[in-house]
Amino acid sequence: MKHILSLVFAVFTASAALAQQDADAGLDGMIFSADEINLSDLMWIKRPLVVFADTPADPRFVEQMGYISERLDALEERDVVVITDTDPEARSDIRRKLRPRGFGLVLIGKDGVIYLRKPAPWHVREIVRSIDKLPARQRELRERPAADS
């Protein structure tokens, strides 16, 4: 019986990993590792959403990335780029600047101001509500109909 359970677990784990690889293949343009990107390059262009953890196996990190991958379209519509940092030993520039402790979710505006820090996973619905309250986002929404006409 133990062998069957081990086999079922192994198959489930392998299929989950393959599904994650397939999902990540379409996310390359929005999800970056902290060592691949510089926050100053994003000023006035994108809103960084930084997800920190001490390891990629952190259940909170896995949960947060699941929420993000389910609603990537809502984030893309708001010019969000997701940055992940799961290696405290690498001491990325982003980690040194934001100084997280364990898991952390940080939303930075296009102006470079930190608007949100959360020590636990947040649904994209809540993140989007926070973004939609930002003055820059309000201005984008007001100016969009004029640009479309």
Side-chain angles (χ1 to χ4, degrees):
M1 183 66 169
K2 281 180 20 178
H3 296 295
I4 293 173
L5 288 176
S6 297
L7 179 63
V8 168
F9 180 73
V11 169
F12 175 74
T13 305
S15 63
L18 288 173
Q20 183 63 39
Q21 285 176 349
D22 290 344
D24 288 347
L27 308 179
D28 291 341
M30 279 189 63
I31 299 179
F32 299 92
S33 175
D35 58 357
E36 297 176 319
I37 201 159
N38 186 339
L39 288 178
S40 60
D41 294 340
L42 302 174
M43 285 282 283
W44 302 111
I45 299 169
K46 296 285 185 181
R47 291 180 178 91
L49 179 65
V50 188
V51 184
F52 291 104
D54 290 339
T55 171
D58 183 328
R60 295 169 296 181
F61 177 78
V62 173
E63 180 180 358
Q64 184 64 64
M65 294 310 293
Y67 294 155
I68 288 170
S69 63
E70 288 172 1
R71 298 280 318 276
L72 211 52
D73 57 328
L75 294 173
E76 185 175 28
E77 181 180 318
R78 288 160 179 85
D79 297 328
V80 172
V81 65
V82 179
I83 302 169
T84 62
D85 187 333
T86 58
D87 186 6
E89 298 300 318
R91 297 197 175 162
S92 68
D93 289 338
I94 295 172
R95 186 174 283 272
R96 281 193 305 250
K97 180 180 179 186
L98 300 176
R99 304 179 64 147
R101 294 188 177 149
F103 177 85
L105 179 69
V106 180
L107 174 65
I108 303 171
K110 287 183 176 181
D111 56 1
V113 174
I114 297 170
Y115 285 100
L116 176 73
R117 278 187 182 267
K118 291 294 173 185
W122 250 33
H123 287 275
V124 171
R125 178 185 69 248
E126 296 160 325
I127 296 168
V128 164
R129 284 182 190 160
S130 295
I131 291 170
D132 288 346
K133 292 177 185 175
L134 299 177
R137 177 65 179 158
Q138 292 291 311
R139 187 173 43 255
E140 290 169 5
L141 291 172
R142 282 192 308 268
E143 293 172 0
R144 184 172 43 190
D148 290 346
S149 341

XYZ file of all heavy atoms in Angstrom, residues 31-76:
373
model
N 6.796 37.859 -15.646
C 7.371 37.373 -14.397
C 8.883 37.237 -14.568
O 9.348 36.553 -15.473
C 6.738 36.036 -13.979
C 5.235 36.221 -13.766
C 7.401 35.503 -12.715
C 4.496 34.977 -13.371
N 9.598 37.924 -13.683
C 11.055 37.943 -13.758
C 11.659 37.592 -12.413
O 11.062 37.836 -11.374
C 11.550 39.341 -14.149
C 11.058 39.806 -15.478
C 9.891 40.546 -15.572
C 11.749 39.509 -16.634
C 9.423 40.981 -16.799
C 11.295 39.937 -17.862
C 10.126 40.677 -17.948
N 12.867 37.094 -12.450
C 13.637 36.882 -11.242
C 14.286 38.210 -10.860
O 14.583 39.037 -11.725
C 14.703 35.819 -11.507
O 15.531 35.687 -10.380
N 14.521 38.425 -9.583
C 15.078 39.692 -9.102
C 16.443 39.985 -9.710
O 16.809 41.148 -9.862
C 15.172 39.679 -7.583
N 17.191 38.971 -10.077
C 18.508 39.212 -10.655
C 18.456 39.540 -12.148
O 19.468 39.883 -12.753
C 19.447 38.027 -10.395
C 18.919 36.720 -10.946
O 17.807 36.697 -11.481
O 19.632 35.701 -10.834
N 17.267 39.472 -12.755
C 17.109 39.753 -14.184
C 16.647 41.178 -14.471
O 16.594 41.569 -15.630
C 16.046 38.832 -14.802
C 16.359 37.380 -14.771
C 15.201 36.551 -15.326
O 14.031 36.849 -15.035
O 15.508 35.606 -16.056
N 16.297 41.933 -13.444
C 15.608 43.201 -13.682
C 16.090 44.259 -12.695
O 16.485 43.939 -11.584
C 14.080 42.971 -13.594
C 13.329 44.050 -14.310
C 13.616 42.777 -12.191
C 11.922 43.634 -14.685
N 16.033 45.499 -13.126
C 16.427 46.628 -12.287
C 15.191 47.511 -12.088
O 14.557 47.916 -13.060
C 17.545 47.406 -12.988
C 18.113 48.491 -12.136
O 17.496 48.967 -11.182
N 19.313 48.914 -12.477
N 14.878 47.811 -10.842
C 13.677 48.607 -10.557
C 13.713 49.978 -11.234
O 12.675 50.464 -11.682
C 13.501 48.787 -9.046
C 13.072 47.558 -8.260
C 12.985 47.869 -6.772
C 11.753 47.007 -8.769
N 14.866 50.587 -11.330
C 14.933 51.923 -11.932
C 14.584 51.895 -13.418
O 14.108 52.897 -13.961
C 16.313 52.550 -11.721
O 17.306 51.755 -12.319
N 14.759 50.758 -14.078
C 14.386 50.631 -15.492
C 12.867 50.638 -15.689
O 12.386 50.849 -16.797
C 14.959 49.354 -16.101
C 16.474 49.373 -16.172
O 17.071 50.477 -16.115
O 17.073 48.285 -16.277
N 12.129 50.388 -14.612
C 10.670 50.291 -14.702
C 9.952 51.597 -14.358
O 8.744 51.712 -14.560
C 10.164 49.187 -13.770
C 10.732 47.792 -14.035
C 10.272 46.823 -12.950
C 10.340 47.298 -15.401
N 10.706 52.583 -13.848
C 10.096 53.853 -13.424
C 9.235 54.456 -14.528
O 9.671 54.595 -15.665
C 11.174 54.861 -13.032
C 11.817 54.577 -11.695
S 10.828 55.062 -10.289
C 11.101 56.805 -10.301
N 7.995 54.806 -14.168
C 7.013 55.446 -15.035
C 6.567 54.567 -16.200
O 5.859 55.025 -17.082
C 7.520 56.799 -15.550
C 7.849 57.707 -14.423
C 9.097 58.123 -14.051
C 6.952 58.272 -13.466
N 9.014 58.907 -12.936
C 7.707 59.025 -12.554
C 5.564 58.208 -13.288
C 7.143 59.715 -11.492
C 4.999 58.908 -12.224
C 5.783 59.642 -11.349
N 6.973 53.290 -16.200
C 6.585 52.372 -17.273
C 5.725 51.228 -16.729
O 4.675 50.919 -17.276
C 7.831 51.796 -17.976
C 8.645 52.927 -18.602
C 7.445 50.768 -19.028
C 10.012 52.509 -19.088
N 6.181 50.593 -15.653
C 5.499 49.429 -15.077
C 5.373 49.575 -13.566
O 6.110 50.329 -12.936
C 6.292 48.139 -15.370
C 6.395 47.782 -16.830
C 5.093 47.234 -17.335
C 5.237 46.757 -18.777
N 3.995 46.235 -19.294
N 4.452 48.801 -12.994
C 4.283 48.724 -11.547
C 4.867 47.387 -11.087
O 4.278 46.340 -11.332
C 2.806 48.765 -11.169
C 2.139 50.071 -11.421
C 0.665 50.061 -11.025
N 0.109 51.372 -11.245
C -0.470 51.738 -12.387
N -0.578 50.893 -13.398
N -0.932 52.962 -12.523
N 6.004 47.406 -10.397
C 6.573 46.149 -9.903
C 5.759 45.575 -8.744
O 5.381 46.294 -7.820
C 7.968 46.533 -9.437
C 8.242 47.863 -10.045
C 6.908 48.527 -10.222
N 5.496 44.290 -8.817
C 4.910 43.534 -7.714
C 5.965 42.498 -7.347
O 6.224 41.569 -8.117
C 3.603 42.856 -8.140
C 2.907 42.018 -7.075
C 2.433 42.895 -5.911
C 1.729 41.256 -7.668
N 6.606 42.687 -6.209
C 7.731 41.843 -5.812
C 7.251 40.809 -4.804
O 6.603 41.156 -3.813
C 8.882 42.681 -5.218
C 10.109 41.818 -4.995
C 9.220 43.858 -6.121
N 7.578 39.546 -5.072
C 7.211 38.451 -4.178
C 8.499 37.844 -3.631
O 9.307 37.308 -4.393
C 6.380 37.366 -4.907
C 5.927 36.300 -3.918
C 5.189 37.985 -5.619
N 8.688 37.963 -2.324
C 9.877 37.435 -1.663
C 9.547 36.158 -0.901
O 8.439 36.005 -0.389
C 10.408 38.436 -0.625
C 11.003 39.677 -1.204
C 10.293 40.864 -1.180
C 12.269 39.660 -1.749
C 10.853 42.027 -1.684
C 12.831 40.812 -2.264
C 12.123 41.999 -2.231
N 10.533 35.278 -0.797
C 10.456 34.104 0.065
C 11.888 33.652 0.314
O 12.807 34.028 -0.418
C 9.633 32.992 -0.574
N 12.069 32.843 1.336
C 13.405 32.326 1.628
C 13.748 31.103 0.795
O 14.899 30.699 0.726
C 13.532 31.998 3.118
C 13.555 33.268 3.965
O 13.868 34.347 3.418
O 13.259 33.180 5.168
N 12.735 30.529 0.167
C 12.928 29.360 -0.694
C 11.736 29.262 -1.640
O 10.627 29.638 -1.265
C 13.047 28.065 0.134
O 13.031 26.933 -0.731
C 11.921 27.922 1.130
N 11.928 28.745 -2.858
C 10.784 28.587 -3.766
C 9.767 27.567 -3.266
O 8.643 27.524 -3.750
C 11.413 28.130 -5.078
C 12.859 27.989 -4.868
C 13.200 28.413 -3.478
N 10.144 26.762 -2.282
C 9.227 25.765 -1.735
C 8.352 26.318 -0.614
O 7.489 25.605 -0.102
C 10.021 24.556 -1.223
N 8.543 27.576 -0.234
C 7.723 28.195 0.811
C 6.254 28.109 0.392
O 5.893 28.583 -0.680
C 8.141 29.656 0.987
C 7.392 30.373 2.111
O 6.211 30.046 2.353
O 7.979 31.269 2.722
N 5.401 27.494 1.213
C 3.987 27.344 0.835
C 3.301 28.677 0.543
O 2.438 28.762 -0.324
C 3.349 26.668 2.050
C 4.464 26.070 2.815
C 5.693 26.864 2.502
N 3.684 29.734 1.233
C 3.086 31.050 0.978
C 3.501 31.566 -0.399
O 2.691 32.161 -1.113
C 3.493 32.048 2.062
C 2.940 31.650 3.438
C 3.539 32.467 4.534
N 4.983 32.185 4.582
C 5.825 32.728 5.442
N 5.391 33.591 6.329
N 7.103 32.426 5.428
N 4.755 31.332 -0.788
C 5.225 31.731 -2.110
C 4.470 30.963 -3.192
O 3.994 31.539 -4.170
C 6.733 31.495 -2.242
C 7.280 31.821 -3.595
C 7.506 33.142 -3.964
C 7.570 30.822 -4.511
C 8.007 33.448 -5.223
C 8.076 31.126 -5.760
C 8.291 32.435 -6.119
N 4.339 29.667 -3.011
C 3.621 28.826 -3.970
C 2.174 29.286 -4.095
O 1.635 29.420 -5.202
C 3.700 27.333 -3.562
C 2.814 26.467 -4.441
C 5.148 26.848 -3.594
N 1.536 29.572 -2.958
C 0.147 30.043 -2.962
C 0.029 31.381 -3.697
O -0.845 31.567 -4.539
C -0.342 30.188 -1.524
C -1.770 30.663 -1.392
C -2.201 30.800 0.074
O -1.414 30.495 0.992
O -3.347 31.234 0.284
N 0.935 32.321 -3.388
C 0.887 33.635 -4.025
C 1.090 33.538 -5.529
O 0.379 34.170 -6.304
C 1.956 34.562 -3.425
C 1.893 35.967 -3.984
C 0.597 36.657 -3.626
O 0.319 36.901 -2.465
N -0.211 36.976 -4.624
N 2.043 32.743 -5.973
C 2.300 32.604 -7.400
C 1.127 31.915 -8.095
O 0.839 32.197 -9.257
C 3.610 31.857 -7.644
C 4.841 32.641 -7.167
S 4.927 34.349 -7.744
C 5.170 34.105 -9.490
N 0.421 31.053 -7.379
C -0.797 30.454 -7.929
C -1.867 31.508 -8.160
O -2.500 31.546 -9.218
N -2.060 32.376 -7.170
C -3.030 33.472 -7.334
C -2.660 34.355 -8.523
O -3.511 34.736 -9.321
C -3.087 34.348 -6.078
C -3.629 33.702 -4.836
C -3.259 34.180 -3.578
C -4.516 32.640 -4.886
C -3.751 33.607 -2.416
C -5.008 32.067 -3.725
C -4.625 32.549 -2.496
O -5.122 31.991 -1.347
N -1.388 34.671 -8.624
C -0.924 35.555 -9.696
C -1.118 34.912 -11.057
O -1.618 35.543 -11.989
C 0.554 35.945 -9.462
C 0.634 36.916 -8.273
C 1.176 36.543 -10.716
C 2.036 37.188 -7.788
N -0.734 33.657 -11.195
C -0.831 33.009 -12.510
C -2.290 32.818 -12.947
O -2.570 32.816 -14.140
C -0.079 31.673 -12.517
O -0.648 30.776 -11.603
N -3.213 32.714 -11.989
C -4.633 32.578 -12.334
C -5.224 33.862 -12.909
O -6.161 33.825 -13.691
C -5.447 32.192 -11.092
C -5.228 30.784 -10.622
C -5.897 30.513 -9.283
O -6.560 31.424 -8.722
O -5.739 29.387 -8.782
N -4.695 35.019 -12.513
C -5.273 36.310 -12.913
C -4.237 37.240 -13.534
O -4.241 38.442 -13.326
C -5.897 37.003 -11.697
C -7.033 36.280 -11.020
C -8.364 36.449 -11.742
N -8.651 37.773 -12.222
C -9.184 38.767 -11.519
N -9.484 38.609 -10.254
N -9.416 39.940 -12.088
N -3.326 36.682 -14.272
C -2.253 37.463 -14.888
C -2.784 38.548 -15.807
O -2.210 39.634 -15.891
C -1.324 36.513 -15.654
C 0.130 36.903 -15.733
C 0.708 37.202 -14.371
C 0.923 35.815 -16.395
N -3.914 38.279 -16.449
C -4.499 39.262 -17.368
C -4.894 40.548 -16.641
O -4.703 41.646 -17.159
C -5.696 38.661 -18.101
C -6.776 38.148 -17.153
O -6.439 37.687 -16.042
O -7.956 38.195 -17.526
N -5.438 40.432 -15.433
C -5.835 41.614 -14.662
C -4.616 42.441 -14.277
O -4.668 43.672 -14.272
C -6.603 41.204 -13.412
N -3.516 41.778 -13.977
C -2.289 42.492 -13.643
C -1.677 43.138 -14.879
O -1.210 44.275 -14.831
C -1.292 41.544 -12.978
C -1.711 41.004 -11.611
C -0.743 39.953 -11.126
C -1.862 42.128 -10.597
N -1.706 42.424 -15.987
C -1.149 42.954 -17.230
C -1.890 44.227 -17.660
O -1.284 45.198 -18.110
C -1.224 41.900 -18.333
C -0.563 42.322 -19.620
C -0.545 41.206 -20.642
O -1.436 40.335 -20.620
O 0.373 41.214 -21.475
